[in-house]
Amino acid sequence: MTPFWLIAGLLTLLACALVLVPLWHARPRPAPDRDAINAQLFRERLAELEAERRAGRLSEADYQGLREDLERTLLADIPEAASTAVRTDHPALMLGIVAGVALPLAALAWFYLHGYRGEVADWLAARARLGPLVEMLLGDPEAQLPEQLQAELPNFIRVLQARLAADGLRDAEGLYLLGLAYLQVDASAEAQAVLERAHRLAPERADITVSYAQSQIMANAGRLDPASAKLLEEVLRTHPEHQGARMLLGFAAFNAGDYAMAITAWQSLLSAQPLQSEVARLLGEAIERARQRQSEAANAPAAPLAQGADANAQARITVTVELSPELQSRLSTDDSLFVFAKASAGPPMPLAVVRQPATGFPVQLVLDDSRAMMPEHTLSRFPQVVVQARVSKGSGATAASGDLESTPQPVDLSAGPQTVRLAIDRVVP
């Protein structure tokens, strides 16, 4: 606070100087001494009279008379000169003082009353109040945000932002802390930007990666998308027991309609919980709810379109799936084959999925509206789709390291039923 007022005072002095210094140098010069002017004029006139007398143009009597008149004129000018001898520019100087000093001081007074005592004062007070807490949290990565801070979260975010900006936004721990604060106030876009930067600075930090995925899921209305799924899979690949990643993966997959993935994630969590614990009970209920939704989605008829049955009939893809001979040795009896179609531009969940044992290649199957995971998301609603096949080593449709997959192939359903050949020829890294 003191530096602020010191700077304000220096700027006020500068403003005063910019006004007063030019006035001082431009003030009128003092008027010449009137007595000195009269004396000079007297001497010049007297010299002229003496020159006239010597030249014979004036008699002695005329010379004496004119000299007496000149002396009387000099004496008559002395009182007037005494009364007006001093000229001053006090009014101009006073006007300069008012303009150069009073106006800046008045502006400072107005700012203090109407500006400083408002948002500026609140900001300075918040920085003084929360600055030590910010430094403490930045110095202790294990520290948690105090519960009583909830009411002060907006101010805490402002103070933390200023602190991180002063360091050039290079502190991954500070950015992570800021991202968590954004998530608590439901600012998912801001959290995503901050946590993305923190993830780039510290990609090995599982807690940062999970929070970054959480921000992406929040920005996607709580649903899993390919980017957030990839982040969570990276965490689980290096930290298989990370419960936060599995819990988040389960809820986001459930919201996206991928009930199989949600069940898998929650079952992994359930196996690590005491059987009679409250967490185990809640996970059991969530798994049962996902199974019910999965059964409803499988048995629900495809929703008709405004275009009628013809649109449903055109939304049909006959897929032939081949397996590269080089990958035959990687198959096991527990592997599952997933063939699915996703919208080229639309929801991240598959529009149609077929799951079956990964045997008997080449395999031929059909994707149509009867294979939709959700009645409101069907092939007939999206003419531009992408089809892909994957051999999964687990029970989920999301790609994991070691899975076998084909290259995604675009399909245009607006031209009617299509036939596609997919070659599974690569291993997911």
Side-chain angles (χ1 to χ4, degrees):
M1 190 178 301
T2 300
F4 169 79
W5 286 112
L6 179 61
I7 294 173
L10 291 175
L11 291 177
T12 302
L13 292 177
L14 178 60
C16 295
L18 291 175
V19 175
L20 293 178
V21 171
L23 284 175
W24 177 264
H25 288 290
R27 71 186 190 282
R29 296 180 179 276
D33 191 336
R34 186 67 175 272
D35 290 346
I37 295 176
N38 288 336
Q40 180 65 27
L41 292 175
F42 174 79
R43 286 191 293 270
E44 292 176 357
R45 181 56 180 157
L46 183 60
E48 292 175 359
L49 292 176
E50 289 179 350
E52 292 288 332
R53 185 187 63 175
R54 286 194 298 271
R57 288 188 291 270
L58 283 177
S59 64
E60 186 64 29
D62 291 337
Y63 169 76
Q64 292 298 332
L66 291 173
R67 178 170 179 162
E68 290 175 1
D69 291 341
L70 187 59
E71 289 175 348
R72 283 194 297 270
T73 301
L74 176 62
L75 292 174
D77 285 344
I78 291 176
E80 179 183 357
S83 63
T84 61
V86 180
R87 292 179 60 192
T88 181
D89 55 345
H90 284 170
L93 186 59
M94 291 302 296
L95 179 61
I97 292 175
V98 171
V101 177
L103 290 180
L105 291 177
L108 280 176
W110 183 91
F111 173 73
Y112 177 77
L113 294 174
H114 299 281
Y116 171 76
R117 294 175 67 182
E119 293 184 4
V120 176
D122 292 343
W123 158 246
L124 294 175
R127 188 175 65 178
R129 184 173 62 255
L130 298 173
L133 176 61
V134 167
E135 296 299 332
M136 184 271 289
L137 292 174
L138 291 177
D140 183 7
E142 302 299 325
Q144 300 294 324
L145 292 177
E147 292 185 4
Q148 61 271 23
L149 187 63
Q150 293 299 319
E152 286 256 63
L153 269 179
N155 285 329
F156 175 80
I157 289 173
R158 293 170 62 197
V159 175
L160 182 56
Q161 282 176 329
R163 171 66 172 77
L164 295 176
D167 290 341
L169 300 177
R170 294 188 298 269
D171 183 359
E173 184 61 39
L175 292 169
Y176 171 55
L177 182 62
L178 180 59
L180 292 181
Y182 275 135
L183 289 175
Q184 292 196 35
V185 297
D186 294 328
S188 58
E190 292 83 353
Q192 188 172 351
V194 169
L195 290 169
E196 190 273 336
R197 186 177 182 88
H199 177 64
R200 288 206 315 266
L201 292 171
E204 74 284 355
R205 288 276 300 272
D207 52 351
I208 293 178
T209 305
V210 171
S211 295
Y212 179 33
Q214 182 181 355
S215 69
Q216 292 184 328
I217 290 168
M218 287 181 61
N220 194 36
R223 299 189 300 268
L224 191 69
D225 61 2
S228 56
K230 183 177 180 181
L231 289 171
L232 294 175
E233 288 168 1
E234 289 176 359
V235 173
L236 293 174
R237 191 177 301 126
T238 55
H239 302 79
E241 305 304 320
H242 199 293
Q243 296 189 7
R246 291 196 179 278
M247 183 67 75
L248 182 61
L249 180 62
F251 279 111
F254 180 88
N255 291 335
D258 192 343
Y259 304 115
M261 180 183 291
I263 292 170
T264 300
W266 286 336
Q267 283 179 334
S268 299
L269 278 175
L270 182 61
S271 63
Q273 304 298 323
L275 293 179
Q276 304 302 322
S277 67
E278 180 67 11
V279 175
R281 184 184 69 80
L282 294 175
L283 284 172
E285 293 177 356
I287 291 171
E288 183 60 29
R289 186 162 59 252
R291 285 173 174 161
Q292 291 175 358
R293 293 284 186 89
Q294 187 179 38
S295 176
E296 292 171 1
N299 297 326
L305 294 179
Q307 294 88 344
D310 290 343
N312 292 340
Q314 288 193 2
R316 177 185 176 90
I317 307 173
T318 301
V319 184
T320 300
V321 183
E322 300 173 344
L323 178 66
S324 172
E326 291 79 7
L327 299 181
Q328 289 283 351
S329 60
R330 290 179 174 267
L331 286 181
S332 64
T333 56
D334 296 330
D335 291 348
S336 298
L337 171 65
F338 288 90
V339 181
F340 51 90
K342 292 185 177 182
S344 298
M349 72 286 294
L351 304 175
V353 180
V354 171
R355 178 184 179 181
Q356 62 186 44
T359 58
F361 291 98
V363 174
Q364 188 173 79
L365 48 86
V366 174
L367 296 176
D368 55 20
D369 283 356
S370 67
R371 300 290 188 174
M373 296 180 62
M374 303 179 71
E376 64 270 25
H377 295 301
T378 60
L379 278 176
S380 56
R381 292 180 181 271
F382 299 88
Q384 306 295 329
V385 299
V386 176
V387 181
Q388 189 174 16
R390 179 179 298 120
V391 173
S392 175
K393 297 297 182 179
S395 58
T398 302
S401 179
D403 287 354
L404 314 177
E405 64 179 11
S406 69
T407 301
Q409 184 167 334
V411 176
D412 183 5
L413 290 174
S414 62
Q418 300 292 314
T419 300
V420 175
R421 297 187 72 87
L422 300 176
I424 299 177
D425 56 1
R426 66 184 186 185
V427 180
V428 177

